[in-house]
Amino acid sequence: MDCPVEEGQIRRALEPFPQIRRLAFDLPGRTLAVDAPADVWSVVTDAIRGAGFQAEPVSAPPSNEATAQAQRKELVQLGVALLVAIGAELVHFFAPDTLVWKGAGFAVAALAIGLSGLSVFRKGLSALLRGQLNINALMSVAVVGAAAIGQWPEAAMVMVLYSLAELIEARAVDRARHAIKGLLDLSPQEAQVRQADGTWLPVAAKAVGLGAIVRVRPGERFALDGKVTTGQSAVDQSPVTGESVPVDKGPGDEVFAGTVNQNGSLEFQVTSPASDTVLARIIHAVEEAQGKRAPTQRIVDRFAAVYTPAVFAVALAVAVGGPLLFGLAWTAAVYKALVMLVIACPCALVISTPVTVVSGLAAAARRGILIKGGVYLEEARKLKVVALDKTGTVTEGRPKLVHQQMLASTLPEAAVLAIAASLAARSDHPVSKAIATGLGQPLHEVQHFGAEVGRGVHGVIDSQDYVLGNHRWVEDRRQCSPELEALMQAQERQGRTVTLLANATGVLALFAVADTTKTTSRQAVAELRSLGVETVMLTGDNAATARAIAAEAGIDDVQAGLLPDDKLQSIQALGERGDVAMVGDGINDAPALAAARIGFAMGGAGTHTAVEAADVVIMNDDLRRVPEAIRLSRRTHAVLWQNIGIALGIKLMFLLLAVFDSATMWMAVFADMGASLLVVFNGLRLMKGVQRE
């Protein structure tokens, strides 16, 4: 079982059993999970075997290596069958036309068919008995028909070539389907774990418990997720987030399984088991996404369900009506009908969509874009409006010191800045932390330190009283002036928070703190505009700050002071302009993310609620991934219709050749399987990613 057609066969075989609650197909792993009472298990497996498939209980999906080994064994068997089929052709062309040599040719051809086509016959016969027409049924009828009119060597060669092309196609499809699973191999199977006595021992990653301390040397990969406890290093996070530049890591920073430690030894505390790392969750999410059929795939499946019986009816009409109505020889009419059957097989058409969609999902995941289903991959191309949350999406989400200005003071500038940094460093307030970090000055001892809620902090340094506070506190101290008011208003108009350092004689310095715009936000908004997509900021922040950030990022429209329900209503209103996406990271964004046509969540800074509500997760919080997802969607849509055109175009051309007696069964097989391989490899082109337009 490795394609949607065979999945459909099994679904129909199990339809008569109401006890079955759910079926979960894993085509890449060739496994099926059946949610049903234990007492119907034997009936279920008998029904699957009756549909022509082997059914074996498994405790775990077969590994990639086991699948590859089975394919190698099948390839050897088909190689032998090909040699035997060539032998049958040689006997047919060069052996004397005697009964003995005809019998020998018959035996050699039958051996080739037996080596290459038993599974095809088994599945085909089962489908025919159930009144279903699929590729295996069509090939079985074609081979039996060729043999019946005395074309044994050609029947053998057709079956061998078909089976060989099917194997090549399966391996090509696996390349797309296993692209994400291949990421799992990036995580080492063992980790160096610190023991109670301080020694380090290699332990299987699956056996490492939460809270364990693991060591990673330079050049090694992380086996698990965790938080750094000791060491400094740069880490290549591209397998998880798609970031091309290594990220500096130190104590308190998160690290992910599958990423590469670059240049320093790190120790980290495990925060997730091996089965629940970020990498494992990505793989699981993409596997689930593969099971959700995209709109084009559903259209193609419905078309194929009508197309195949129609082709069979036409072929039957040619075989019977040709001799009766047009005086054709029976063998010639039957041969022409068999050629039409093989050419018109819908395999290339059916396989074209899932391969393309899976390739697109894999390309996105490798770039740090986790798309939760083929429907979102296809629908992103239709987006007309992208609504953006401000904090953590357009901005960094962390306040930074963006401006400092010395005012009247008899003290040197360095001394004033050191006093401000010393007071700020004693406070836990985000604004104070931003000032202390931004100034980076040597700290003085602060005596009699205190904090005034809603005002700021104060303390004594070198026997002098100082305050580091907001506008209101300085006004209460009667230390404001028209000049100072003008300076503060200029900063506040830009959406900045102003803090002042003052002593008993006056205000010494002004500091402005703001949540800065991400360096990538302006580029992302420009790319969205070039794609014809309008941008709107939806934020709960005040209007002045929102407008300042929007102007800096180049965002078209701003709606500020919004509560979660307001954001939801805004998304619904924006929907009147066309398909709308929401990009956010907080719990307050979750209703809007769920209501939007497509919800994008920031996976790094985003809350669990936002990530769950979204349809697409951006693993590295880079807003440029949104236009990249739209470009990928447009390219995927184009490739899907290219594949449909290729499949139908080739079939139509060879059907016309068959009508005018210019096509043979060999050509029919090459036309059918050639079309299948063309659409598979065309779909795999998406794996290369998306270049910016």
Side-chain angles (χ1 to χ4, degrees):
M1 175 193 70
D2 62 2
C3 80
V5 174
E6 294 179 334
E7 176 188 329
Q9 284 182 259
I10 295 174
R11 284 189 183 277
R12 286 189 289 272
L14 298 180
E15 277 177 357
F17 304 105
Q19 303 95 324
I20 296 176
R21 293 180 287 266
R22 190 174 66 92
L23 299 175
F25 287 84
D26 176 15
L27 295 181
R30 295 174 174 80
T31 61
L32 166 63
V34 182
D35 183 3
D39 57 359
V40 301
W41 179 248
S42 59
V43 181
V44 167
T45 53
D46 287 345
I48 294 173
R49 292 188 181 102
F53 299 88
Q54 278 187 297
E56 299 176 2
V58 293
S59 57
S63 65
N64 290 354
E65 178 56 34
T67 301
Q69 187 175 356
Q71 288 180 339
R72 285 194 294 270
K73 180 181 178 182
E74 187 177 355
L75 185 61
V76 171
Q77 182 175 326
L78 289 177
V80 173
L82 181 59
L83 293 175
V84 175
I86 292 172
E89 290 285 357
L90 293 175
V91 169
H92 176 72
F93 280 110
F94 299 109
D97 189 17
T98 63
L99 189 61
V100 174
W101 280 106
K102 283 184 178 180
F106 170 85
V108 174
L111 177 60
I113 292 173
L115 286 171
S116 61
L118 287 183
S119 64
V120 176
F121 278 124
R122 186 169 60 247
K123 293 176 184 178
L125 181 60
S126 172
L128 289 170
L129 291 175
R130 292 172 178 273
Q132 299 165 2
L133 294 173
N134 58 22
I135 175 60
N136 295 304
L138 297 185
M139 286 304 302
S140 299
V141 169
V143 170
V144 170
I149 60 175
Q151 298 292 332
W152 273 100
E154 192 161 358
M157 188 61 75
V158 164
M159 182 58 79
V160 171
L161 291 175
Y162 167 74
S163 299
L164 194 58
E166 279 278 282
L167 180 61
I168 295 170
E169 179 188 295
R171 297 190 73 165
V173 172
D174 283 344
R175 180 181 162 193
R177 286 175 176 158
H178 291 303
I180 297 302
K181 281 193 171 182
L183 291 176
L184 195 58
D185 298 333
L186 297 176
S187 297
Q189 299 301 307
E190 289 187 338
Q192 291 286 330
V193 181
R194 189 168 69 194
Q195 306 301 302
D197 60 1
T199 60
W200 298 89
L201 287 178
V203 178
K206 292 181 180 179
V208 178
L210 298 180
I213 301 297
V214 175
R215 180 177 65 186
V216 182
R217 297 187 180 92
E220 293 181 343
R221 291 184 182 272
F222 291 84
L224 298 150
D225 289 357
K227 284 194 174 182
V228 176
T229 57
T230 306
Q232 297 279 344
S233 182
V235 176
D236 176 7
Q237 298 192 145
S238 57
V240 173
T241 67
E243 293 169 289
S244 57
V245 178
V247 179
D248 291 330
K249 299 287 184 179
D253 291 332
E254 285 187 311
V255 290
F256 307 111
T259 59
V260 184
N261 185 23
Q262 296 278 355
N263 50 24
S265 183
L266 290 176
E267 295 177 16
F268 68 93
Q269 186 175 36
V270 176
T271 56
S272 300
S275 60
D276 196 39
T277 63
V278 170
L279 188 60
R281 292 200 299 272
I282 289 173
I283 295 163
H284 178 67
V286 176
E287 285 175 345
E288 284 193 336
Q290 292 177 16
K292 298 176 183 177
R293 295 192 173 189
T296 304
Q297 185 174 349
R298 291 195 293 269
I299 292 170
V300 167
D301 288 347
R302 288 197 296 268
F303 174 76
V306 177
Y307 167 84
T308 306
V311 166
F312 194 88
V314 170
L316 187 63
V318 169
V320 176
L324 296 178
L325 299 177
F326 302 103
L328 293 177
W330 281 99
T331 55
V334 170
Y335 186 82
K336 180 183 290 190
L338 296 177
V339 171
M340 293 176 66
L341 271 187
V342 177
I343 291 174
C345 173
C347 196
L349 194 61
V350 172
I351 203 68
S352 64
T353 45
V355 171
T356 304
V357 169
V358 171
S359 296
L361 293 172
R366 287 181 169 183
R367 293 287 295 155
I369 308 167
L370 179 55
I371 302 175
K372 295 183 180 180
V375 59
Y376 310 117
L377 176 63
E378 277 203 61
E379 295 299 311
R381 67 186 175 84
K382 300 178 181 178
L383 292 176
K384 298 299 181 185
V385 182
V386 171
L388 304 162
D389 176 48
K390 180 181 75 69
T391 306
T393 300
V394 177
T395 68
E396 296 286 354
R398 297 183 300 274
K400 290 183 179 180
L401 179 64
V402 294
H403 178 76
Q404 61 192 57
Q405 185 172 348
M406 293 296 298
L407 303 175
S409 174
T410 57
L411 295 174
E413 180 177 348
V416 173
L417 297 181
I419 291 168
S422 301
L423 288 169
R426 293 289 300 272
S427 173
D428 290 331
H429 194 281
V431 172
S432 293
K433 286 183 175 180
I435 292 172
T437 303
L439 291 176
Q441 296 289 323
L443 304 181
H444 297 301
E445 182 182 353
V446 181
Q447 297 176 330
H448 307 296
F449 177 82
E452 297 286 336
V453 177
R455 290 171 174 252
V457 297
H458 63 87
V460 177
I461 299 175
D462 295 333
S463 302
Q464 291 287 323
D465 287 323
Y466 294 96
V467 299
L468 185 68
N470 59 19
H471 186 177
R472 186 173 61 182
W473 198 4
V474 173
E475 278 190 342
D476 291 344
R477 288 168 59 91
R478 301 182 185 279
Q479 292 180 313
C480 262
S481 66
E483 294 79 13
L484 182 59
E485 288 282 355
L487 289 174
M488 287 190 290
Q489 288 176 8
Q491 296 298 322
E492 289 169 349
R493 279 196 296 269
Q494 299 178 61
R496 298 172 176 178
T497 300
V498 176
T499 302
L500 303 165
L501 175 67
N503 61 10
T505 60
V507 179
L508 308 179
L510 176 150
F511 304 97
V513 169
D515 181 9
T516 57
T517 304
K518 292 178 182 177
T519 56
T520 56
S521 293
R522 173 170 282 279
Q523 183 181 347
V525 172
E527 289 182 20
L528 286 169
R529 186 177 289 114
S530 71
L531 292 170
V533 178
E534 180 185 355
T535 52
V536 179
M537 178 184 286
L538 304 182
T539 178
D541 211 338
N542 66 77
T545 301
R547 282 196 294 269
I549 295 294
E552 188 176 347
I555 295 171
D556 300 318
D557 190 13
V558 178
Q559 297 181 25
L562 303 180
L563 297 173
D565 285 346
D566 299 327
K567 288 188 176 183
L568 175 60
Q569 292 173 11
S570 294
I571 289 293
Q572 293 169 343
L574 289 170
E576 297 177 2
R577 306 184 196 177
D579 284 2
V580 59
M582 174 68 192
V583 187
D585 69 330
I587 293 174
N588 61 333
D589 297 319
L593 287 169
R597 184 65 189 86
I598 299 180
F600 291 82
M602 296 297 179
T607 62
H608 179 74
T609 304
V611 170
E612 287 297 316
D615 308 306
V616 181
V617 180
I618 300 170
M619 299 304 298
N620 67 347
D621 295 351
D622 187 340
L623 197 58
R624 292 176 298 180
R625 297 294 188 256
V626 176
E628 189 169 347
I630 295 173
R631 284 194 298 270
L632 178 62
S633 174
R634 293 180 180 183
R635 188 177 172 201
T636 300
H637 180 75
V639 171
L640 279 171
W641 286 100
Q642 285 172 17
N643 282 345
I644 292 170
I646 289 170
L648 292 178
I650 289 176
K651 290 182 181 303
L652 179 60
M653 181 178 68
F654 278 88
L655 277 172
L656 290 174
L657 289 174
V659 169
F660 294 103
D661 295 325
S662 298
T664 65
M665 287 190 71
W666 279 47
M667 291 171 63
V669 172
F670 280 120
D672 175 61
M673 299 317 299
S676 295
L677 293 175
L678 276 175
V679 299
V680 166
F681 289 118
N682 190 42
L684 289 175
R685 290 192 302 115
L686 288 173
M687 297 281 288
K688 295 178 181 179
V690 182
Q691 301 298 320
R692 285 187 170 82
E693 295 173 350

